[in-house]
Amino acid sequence: MRYSLFGESHGPAIGVVIQGVPSGLAVDTDYIASEMARRAPGKSPLATARSEKDAVEIVSGVFEGRSCGTPLCGIIRNTDTRSRDYASTRWLARPGHADFTAHLRYGGFEDYRGGGHFSGRLTAPLVFAGAIAKTALRGSGITVYARIAQVAGIADAPLDMACPDLDALRAASLKNFPVLDDACGERMQAAILDAKNNLDSVGGVIECVISGLPAGAGSPDFDENIESLIARHVFAVPAVKGLEFGSGFGFASMRGSEANDAFVPAGGALRTRTNSNGGINGGIANGMPVVFRVAVKPTPSISQEQDTVDMSTGEAAKLTITGRHDPCILSRAVPVIEAAAALAATEIPGVLRHEA
C-alpha cells in the first residue's frame, strides 16, 4: 500500500490517495472515526484550540462497504481556519518550521498559511490511511500499538521489549493521554502546561510495537528492508527527528555479551530471550515484536519573541508567533506514528494475505 497526501492546512480540504489496498476489505467507518478522534485537535488545554471534526469523506475505492482494490481516496474538509493569524508574518521565516526551505523549493509560490502542505494538519489523512492499513494487517494477525514513552525528560513505565503487554498497550492507546502509567502521565502533562504558561513547548519520545510480523519477512535490500521501510514512513511525519530500533543508541555503551539476543527454542520455532535488536536482524523480521522509538521535537510555534530574517528583504527581524498551537504534540502524534508503522508493514512482501 502506497499513499499520497494532498491539500494545505488552510485550503478547502486535505486528503490522501491510497494505492494497493486489497480488494474486498471491510471498511469500518466507525473504526475510522475512532482513529481520527485520537488525533483530532481542540479537545484539551494540552493541544491547539483549533476545532476540526476530521470527518473523512471516502470518494473512491469503496463500494457497498468493501474496498474495490482500486485507488482509495478520502478527503477531510477544513472548517476552522483563521488565516489572518499568518498575514503579518508572511515573509518572516519561523524558526524550526519549513517556511524557509519551502520558500526556496517553490520560489515563493507555496501556501504559507498555517504551514501549508508542511503543516501537522496533513497528518489527519495519514491517520485515515493508517486505519485502512491496520484493518488490512488485522487479517494477517498483525497489530500496531504506540504510547508516549517520554515527555520533557519524564519517562513512562518501562516496556518489556521481549514480551510487551499488548493489552496494556491497547488500553494506553485509547486514553486521551496515551501512557502506561497514569501517574507518570500526570507529571508529563504538568510539564507541558508549565511550558505553555511560559510561552514555550516541549518534545518527547513515542514508542511503537508491531506484533505478529512473520519471521523471515523483509529483506536486506533497500526497498524491502524493514528498518528502511519504517524509517521512510516515520521521517515523513512532521517533527520526527530521531529513530531507534530495540536498544538503539543504547548499543553504543553495551558490550556484545549484553547486546546479543540469545536464541531459545519455542515450540518447534526459535525466539530470543531478549529483544535488543527490536525484532529485526539484517532487515528481516526474526519473529519477535518489532519495537522502535521516535524522537519528536518541541513544537516550533512558540509565543516568545524570536530572531529571524525577512525573506523579502534579507534583513534581520523579530518574530512573535500568535494563533492556536500545541505546546506539545506527543498525545496527538501517537496515532500518527501507528499509522506510519502500519503503512510501512503493508509494504513488506507477503505480509498482506490478499494483495490487490
Side-chain angles (χ1 to χ4, degrees):
M1 291 170 57
R2 302 291 179 99
Y3 70 91
S4 178
L5 300 174
F6 62 85
E8 288 78 34
S9 177
H10 286 224
I14 52 179
V16 62
V17 177
I18 316 169
Q19 305 257 13
V21 179
S23 57
L25 190 70
V27 178
D28 185 340
T29 54
D30 288 339
Y31 171 65
I32 290 170
S34 69
E35 287 290 280
M36 300 304 296
R38 295 174 61 201
R39 196 220 69 95
K43 299 183 298 183
S44 161
L46 301 177
T48 172
R50 179 172 177 174
S51 180
E52 297 282 2
K53 294 182 179 179
D54 283 355
V56 181
E57 178 185 349
I58 298 176
V59 297
S60 71
V62 176
F63 181 64
E64 296 182 340
R66 292 189 176 270
S67 60
C68 302
T70 52
L72 196 160
C73 178
I75 63 173
I76 302 166
R77 306 289 178 181
N78 289 325
T79 60
D80 187 26
T81 58
R82 265 188 7 199
S83 301
R84 64 182 181 274
D85 290 341
Y86 299 91
S88 62
T89 59
R90 166 67 180 97
W91 299 106
L92 300 181
R94 294 173 298 167
H97 281 277
D99 298 343
F100 175 60
T101 51
H103 181 76
L104 294 176
R105 173 66 176 80
Y106 299 110
F109 291 99
E110 71 284 351
D111 184 343
Y112 65 89
R113 301 168 301 168
H117 189 69
F118 296 87
S119 170
R121 179 87 186 115
L122 272 291
T123 61
L126 178 58
V127 169
F128 165 64
I132 299 297
K134 287 181 186 178
T135 301
L137 291 171
R138 199 180 302 141
S140 298
I142 297 168
T143 59
V144 181
Y145 296 119
R147 55 90 180 230
I148 298 173
Q150 183 187 123
V151 166
I154 301 167
D156 188 20
L159 182 76
D160 182 351
M161 291 193 295
C163 190
D165 187 336
L166 298 181
D167 289 336
L169 282 170
R170 180 179 183 278
S173 72
L174 298 176
K175 298 176 184 177
N176 288 332
F177 198 80
V179 291
L180 295 176
D181 187 326
D182 290 334
C184 296
E186 289 176 4
R187 293 196 294 274
M188 293 177 188
Q189 292 176 71
I192 295 170
L193 290 175
D194 180 66
K196 179 181 180 180
N197 292 335
N198 285 282
L199 309 182
D200 217 331
S201 63
V202 294
V205 176
I206 293 173
E207 186 169 47
C208 186
V209 176
I210 307 174
S211 177
L213 282 183
S219 167
D221 299 326
F222 173 79
D223 287 337
E224 298 176 2
N225 181 300
I226 294 176
E227 288 153 321
S228 297
L229 287 170
I230 291 173
R232 187 172 70 194
H233 282 268
V234 300
F235 278 122
V237 176
V240 170
K241 283 297 184 178
L243 169 65
E244 65 175 5
F245 292 88
S247 294
F249 285 93
F251 279 124
S253 59
M254 290 182 178
R255 293 191 174 189
S257 56
E258 299 172 294
N260 290 344
D261 298 311
F263 287 101
V264 294
L270 294 180
R271 68 182 306 273
T272 57
R273 184 175 292 118
T274 55
N275 194 19
S276 293
N277 287 278
I280 305 168
N281 295 113
I284 300 169
N286 63 19
M288 297 294 286
V290 169
V291 182
F292 68 89
R293 284 169 294 279
V294 298
V296 179
K297 71 178 183 179
T299 314
S301 291
I302 58 174
S303 297
Q304 297 182 20
E305 185 179 77
Q306 300 177 81
D307 291 321
T308 188
V309 169
D310 186 320
M311 293 184 290
S312 66
T313 65
E315 297 179 353
K318 296 290 186 180
L319 169 68
T320 301
I321 296 174
T322 59
R324 303 164 295 176
H325 307 285
D326 300 76
C328 178
I329 65 169
L330 268 290
S331 60
R332 297 176 58 213
V334 165
V336 179
I337 296 303
E338 288 182 7
L343 286 159
T346 67
E347 289 198 51
I348 303 169
V351 164
L352 295 184
R353 286 182 179 172
H354 302 290
E355 295 183 335

